[in-house]
Amino acid sequence: MGLWGFLKTQFVVHLLIGFVFVVSGLIINFLQLCTLPLWGINKPLYRRINCRMAYLLWSQLVMLLEWWSGTQCTLFSDQKTIDHFGKEHVIIILNHNYEIDFLCGWTMCERYGVLGGSKVLAKKELLMVPLIGWTWYFLEIVFCKRKWEEDRDTVIQGLKDLRDYPEYMWFLLYCEGTRFTETKHKISMEVADKKGLARLKHHLLPRTRGFTTAVQCLRGTVSAVYDVTLSFRGNKNPSLLGILYGKKYEADMCVRRFPLEEIPEDEKEAAAWLHKLYQEKDALQEQYIQEGTFPGTQIVPPRRPWTLLNFLFWATLLLSPLFSFAIGIFASGSPLLILSFMGFMWTASFAVRRLIGVTEIDRGSSYGNHEVKKSI
């Protein structure tokens, strides 16, 4: 391990990265708050500004994946599909097996220029998470409680509001509803058996209501559905904490494009289409496990420098006064000031660790650990 590799493992370095992310995030959230008056004056301008504000925050996480850990994301697709990237509104269907699957999705969004306009159907609990939930609020992210009777009107209205979004939008759906675990998989397959649906080996049974509603509400705006099946070489199970420690992973993503015209308008037929899609995704995962590769041409889109430059800007802006302040604190020799400063840094570290904890599988949602009697 060289000096650079050693630095990546040091707590104080992680603390400084976390400090930059948290403080810059609070600044960005404040600036987003200041844009609210624009909503009633010029909504397209409000949206464009907030897309760029969100980019300033999310690209710091993408920087950790691309530049800090050096993780490489390889696409398996065809050139005709790739040519559409970043040039249309789409719905993304991604398997939910890994702690950093969202980050791999974001790095593809960044490389094709749509990171600021990325959307997701997210659980409502995330709205209360500082920085993440607050930024999503200004981006008009659609939140749900995952109880259709309570969510129906909110989700439908939220989706309809996005029909006139001025930036190219990649709308992410985790159709499985929750991250894959063996316990959830066992229960999910019991439900599949009771409903006479095909069993899946590597996925949970997809929950069709969110998908069919999104397709119905965004038809005429969205041009296609991108099915993305993600896996990692060497059977690795990466984590955001591993990324922070500079661990390099190799992600492979099989991307298939389905024009929206191919998806039935009838709700039951669209649900059947999604179940068939997940059977195909399961077969793709099985092929990857057996052969170590997905079908299609391998494409590695080049990383762009903007994520790194953005982080360096925030680090220069925020760490210089921090260092000057810290030197002044320790030079004062005051035990009270020194202990207060160390307490502040510990609090910042705790906050960052809590944010990382949002992505951890063993701290994930219990949703899916109980048999669902109604499809949602």
Side-chain angles (χ1 to χ4, degrees):
M1 179 188 296
L3 177 60
W4 184 239
F6 173 76
L7 288 174
K8 290 181 179 180
T9 65
Q10 298 308 295
F11 170 76
V12 66
V13 176
H14 301 162
L15 189 58
L16 294 175
I17 292 174
F19 175 82
V20 171
F21 180 75
V22 170
V23 177
S24 66
L26 292 174
I27 294 172
I28 290 166
N29 286 162
F30 174 74
L31 293 175
Q32 288 182 300
L33 183 63
C34 294
T35 67
L36 280 178
L38 281 174
W39 178 264
I41 302 171
N42 190 330
K43 188 163 69 171
L45 178 60
Y46 166 90
R47 286 170 157 175
R48 293 184 188 279
I49 291 174
N50 275 279
C51 279
R52 283 148 185 81
M53 291 288 185
Y55 180 88
L56 295 177
L57 187 60
W58 301 149
S59 65
Q60 294 182 50
L61 297 178
V62 174
M63 183 282 299
L64 289 177
L65 185 79
E66 294 184 336
W67 296 92
W68 184 255
S69 80
T71 292
Q72 179 172 297
C73 294
T74 302
L75 298 179
F76 289 76
S77 191
D78 59 86
Q79 193 58 51
K80 185 177 179 181
T81 295
I82 299 297
D83 288 342
H84 285 92
F85 286 4
K87 302 174 183 177
E88 59 182 351
H89 296 295
V90 297
I91 293 172
I92 306 285
I93 297 177
L94 177 63
N95 54 306
H96 204 8
N97 298 68
Y98 306 99
E99 292 182 10
I100 66 166
D101 45 33
F102 77 96
L103 200 50
C104 293
W106 272 358
T107 193
M108 287 299 108
C109 288
E110 201 291 316
R111 295 186 189 195
Y112 289 100
V114 293
L115 178 58
S118 61
K119 309 292 181 188
V120 65
L121 182 61
K123 56 185 179 182
K124 194 168 185 177
E125 296 95 314
L126 291 175
L127 178 60
M128 305 309 296
V129 177
L131 308 185
I132 296 174
W134 299 347
T135 303
W136 275 352
Y137 172 81
F138 293 106
L139 284 178
E140 303 166 74
I141 294 299
V142 182
F143 292 96
C144 64
K145 297 178 181 177
R146 298 189 291 199
K147 296 179 181 178
W148 183 244
E149 294 76 12
E150 299 179 29
D151 288 331
R152 177 184 175 86
D153 293 341
T154 301
V155 170
I156 289 176
Q157 187 58 53
L159 290 169
K160 288 182 177 179
D161 288 342
L162 295 175
R163 287 175 174 173
D164 60 347
Y165 209 76
E167 301 279 320
Y168 284 125
M169 171 180 63
W170 284 15
F171 192 97
L172 173 63
L173 288 177
Y174 286 120
C175 292
E176 295 162 88
T178 185
R179 191 178 281 120
F180 183 99
T181 66
E182 291 299 333
T183 299
K184 293 174 183 178
H185 180 254
K186 180 181 178 181
I187 295 171
S188 181
M189 292 306 98
E190 290 173 357
V191 175
D193 291 340
K194 290 180 180 179
K195 293 185 175 182
L197 298 169
R199 293 178 66 89
L200 303 174
K201 189 174 180 180
H202 308 290
H203 299 82
L204 305 180
L205 197 66
R207 305 184 183 253
T208 60
R209 193 67 61 83
F211 171 75
T212 57
T213 302
V215 169
Q216 289 172 354
C217 291
L218 295 177
R219 194 178 289 274
T221 298
V222 164
S223 302
V225 169
Y226 292 172
D227 171 52
V228 182
T229 304
L230 169 68
S231 197
F232 286 85
R233 298 180 191 178
N235 199 29
K236 296 288 181 65
N237 191 12
S239 66
L240 189 55
L241 199 58
I243 295 295
L244 192 59
Y245 274 82
K247 293 182 180 179
K248 181 178 181 178
Y249 302 102
E250 293 178 294
D252 289 332
M253 308 170 75
C254 180
V255 184
R256 300 181 298 162
R257 181 181 184 274
F258 298 92
L260 209 67
E261 300 79 42
E262 296 182 6
I263 300 173
E265 294 189 23
D266 179 77
E267 183 176 350
K268 290 184 178 179
E269 292 179 4
W273 183 92
L274 182 65
H275 282 297
K276 182 176 181 293
L277 181 77
Y278 266 80
Q279 294 169 32
E280 295 172 357
K281 288 173 74 70
D282 218 50
L284 286 170
Q285 282 285 28
E286 183 64 23
Q287 177 180 338
Y288 188 88
I289 292 170
Q290 298 297 327
E291 302 177 9
T293 187
F294 287 121
T297 304
Q298 293 190 37
I299 301 169
V300 181
R303 61 185 180 182
R304 307 193 304 171
W306 313 122
T307 58
L308 180 60
L309 293 175
N310 175 66
F311 179 79
L312 291 176
F313 163 77
W314 285 111
T316 302
L317 181 68
L318 299 174
L319 291 183
S320 296
L322 177 67
F323 290 151
S324 298
F325 181 71
I327 291 171
I329 289 291
F330 284 98
S332 72
S334 169
L336 180 60
L337 289 177
I338 293 173
L339 287 174
S340 298
F341 178 75
M342 293 179 67
F344 169 77
M345 297 303 291
W346 180 89
T347 302
S349 173
F350 177 77
V352 171
R353 191 64 187 83
R354 291 285 292 179
L355 288 173
I356 291 175
V358 172
T359 72
E360 292 179 346
I361 289 176
D362 58 1
R363 297 188 182 183
S365 168
S366 62
Y367 184 69
N369 282 333
H370 308 284
E371 182 176 338
V372 180
K373 296 181 179 179
K374 293 184 179 180
S375 177
I376 63 172

